[in-house]
Amino acid sequence: MPSAYQYILQQLKNQKISLTEIAQLAINYQGLYSQVPEIETTEELLKKIIQQPQVEENLLVCFALENSTLSEPLATIYQSENVTNSLLLQIAATFGTIGISNYFEIKLNHPELIHLSNNPKITDLALSLAAALSGELAQMDS
């Protein structure tokens, strides 16, 4: 049985989303405001974020919801879109409220950054990871 981390990587791969694309989105956004490390370093930071227990748990629930594999009674509890949005915002907020601000700033005011990846499948889930990562990058630069 794969580890939670390996499962998450496989789910992202199934969605044709790479860690490099998520890291590049964070670099593209945070680079507007501060110095950012090279892509390799940023990707390593992303891997550490994904492996944090609260992030892993939220990602696993999000994938279970997407794949309709969540069993009862959790399936009924988590069927609301508001629950998914809450999970995504919790991921974005891994390093504080700056991640939530980054999430909405990218989504609403910088959609061109999402399209720079040339991957139309950059989902809200991937965006939440990029927002958390950009929050970490901002804290590193301060």
Side-chain angles (χ1 to χ4, degrees):
M1 174 168 259
S3 70
Y5 176 71
Q6 291 168 329
Y7 177 80
I8 290 165
L9 294 182
Q10 184 60 50
Q11 291 301 305
L12 289 170
K13 185 177 178 181
N14 291 349
Q15 293 183 2
K16 298 182 177 21
I17 298 170
S18 70
L19 295 183
T20 302
E21 288 174 316
I22 295 169
Q24 191 62 58
L25 176 56
I27 287 171
N28 290 345
Y29 175 70
Q30 197 55 45
L32 296 172
Y33 306 102
S34 58
Q35 295 291 324
V36 293
E38 298 293 322
I39 188 71
E40 295 82 14
T41 303
T42 306
E43 218 172 306
E44 288 303 314
L45 290 170
L46 176 60
K47 290 175 185 178
K48 289 178 183 175
I49 290 170
I50 291 172
Q51 293 178 58
Q52 291 187 13
Q54 72 274 16
V55 174
E56 262 186 349
E57 290 169 15
N58 287 339
L59 289 170
L60 292 172
V61 173
C62 286
F63 287 128
L65 289 168
E66 283 181 10
N67 299 329
S68 300
T69 57
L70 203 58
S71 60
E72 291 297 340
L74 290 176
T76 300
I77 294 169
Y78 284 119
Q79 68 186 348
S80 165
E81 187 175 314
N82 291 334
V83 171
T84 302
N85 290 338
S86 175
L87 294 170
L88 296 176
L89 292 177
Q90 287 175 31
I91 293 168
T94 300
F95 295 100
T97 57
I98 189 171
I100 295 172
S101 298
N102 294 346
Y103 176 87
F104 286 110
E105 178 70 16
I106 295 168
K107 187 171 183 164
L108 300 174
N109 297 325
H110 294 286
E112 74 280 359
L113 295 177
I114 296 170
H115 299 298
L116 282 177
S117 72
N118 294 321
N119 184 349
K121 297 225 17 137
I122 294 293
T123 61
D124 285 348
L125 188 141
L127 177 56
S128 70
L129 287 168
L133 180 55
S134 68
E136 170 72 344
L137 294 173
Q139 288 183 8
M140 287 175 52
D141 189 51
S142 60

